[in-house]
Amino acid sequence: ARVGGVAIKTPPSSQSCRTLVPFITARNIRTTSLKSSAVTSAGGESLVANASKNRGNSHDSNSGRKLAYGAAAAGLATSAAIVKYVRDEVGGTEGLVRTASFYSLAIPKYIEYRMHMWYGSPDDVWDDLHRETSQKGLDKMLELKGFYIKSGQICASNIGNAFPRIWQDTMSVLQDQCPHKDLDTVREIIESDMNKKMEEIFS
């Protein structure tokens, strides 16, 4: 006979049957309990895994936000530093435009000079290059004025013995033929820089 899925030899005595019933019932309850425990355990492990995954996703999301915030802060700090440098060292937007205008001539000419040095160009080619470049440089200095005219005067005086004769001759007009500012403009500049009236400064 089979009872609860277990083959047993059942004695004719009803007392023996009553004796086996509790054992079979207990066995079935234990099996069911083990299955339930296994399901519960698997479910618990799944919940733990999901929780860990969620914590990992949350950590990655927080790290991404922190990285974005850090990049934004670094960008702002860099922008502020550039603005300060342009204002204090270059002379603001006007100074930046003048600097860009000067280098738009200086950089291509520098490259051209280096190419002639590389190819070992003859003296007559160098003379032509000096005449062309010095005249363009003079025109640019007269256009930009200020510091650039002072640089041309240094070239004309050949301070440091660094300039070819053609450059010195071209720039010599800046020593006694510089364009001048009217007195009102000069007064405005001096009083603005010194924060005083000219009469107080030169009294």
Side-chain angles (χ1 to χ4, degrees):
R2 298 184 68 86
V3 179
V6 179
I8 60 171
K9 293 181 179 181
T10 307
S13 169
S14 59
Q15 179 65 35
S16 299
C17 290
R18 286 193 298 270
T19 302
L20 290 172
V21 168
F23 169 75
I24 294 170
T25 302
R27 178 180 179 276
N28 290 339
I29 292 172
R30 181 173 178 273
T31 301
T32 303
S33 177
L34 288 173
K35 290 180 180 179
S36 299
S37 297
V39 171
T40 302
S41 176
E45 290 176 357
S46 177
L47 289 173
V48 170
N50 287 336
S52 298
K53 183 178 179 181
N54 290 336
R55 284 196 299 270
N57 291 339
S58 177
H59 177 72
D60 292 342
S61 178
N62 290 337
S63 298
R65 282 196 296 269
K66 289 179 180 178
L67 183 60
Y69 294 155
L76 288 173
T78 302
S79 299
I82 292 173
V83 170
K84 185 177 186 303
Y85 177 82
V86 170
R87 184 191 63 197
D88 297 345
E89 304 296 332
V90 182
T93 305
E94 180 186 357
L96 183 61
V97 171
R98 294 171 73 231
T99 300
S101 177
F102 173 78
Y103 280 108
S104 69
L105 170 66
I107 292 176
K109 281 300 179 182
Y110 171 79
I111 295 172
E112 188 175 354
Y113 267 78
R114 296 296 294 182
M115 287 177 59
H116 283 287
M117 290 177 65
W118 177 265
Y119 290 121
S121 298
D123 290 344
D124 58 330
V125 174
W126 279 104
D127 289 345
D128 291 340
L129 180 62
H130 288 326
R131 289 189 188 94
E132 177 196 356
T133 307
S134 62
Q135 185 58 53
K136 288 184 176 180
L138 175 62
D139 294 340
K140 181 63 70 174
M141 291 171 183
L142 291 172
E143 172 193 339
L144 299 176
K145 302 181 175 64
F147 164 81
Y148 299 96
I149 286 182
K150 181 59 65 177
S151 299
Q153 291 171 340
I154 292 173
C155 173
S157 301
N158 195 25
I159 295 177
N161 195 31
F163 301 95
R165 170 55 62 181
I166 294 174
W167 275 81
Q168 297 174 46
D169 294 342
T170 303
M171 298 296 167
S172 62
V173 297
L174 298 176
Q175 294 182 317
D176 58 0
Q177 301 177 41
C178 278
H180 65 277
K181 299 283 186 181
D182 60 84
L183 182 58
D184 291 338
T185 301
V186 174
R187 174 187 290 274
E188 181 182 352
I189 293 172
I190 293 175
E191 292 181 349
S192 175
D193 287 348
M194 303 300 293
N195 200 26
K196 290 182 179 180
K197 294 291 185 181
M198 279 187 62
E199 290 75 14
E200 298 177 16
I201 299 170
F202 298 104
S203 57

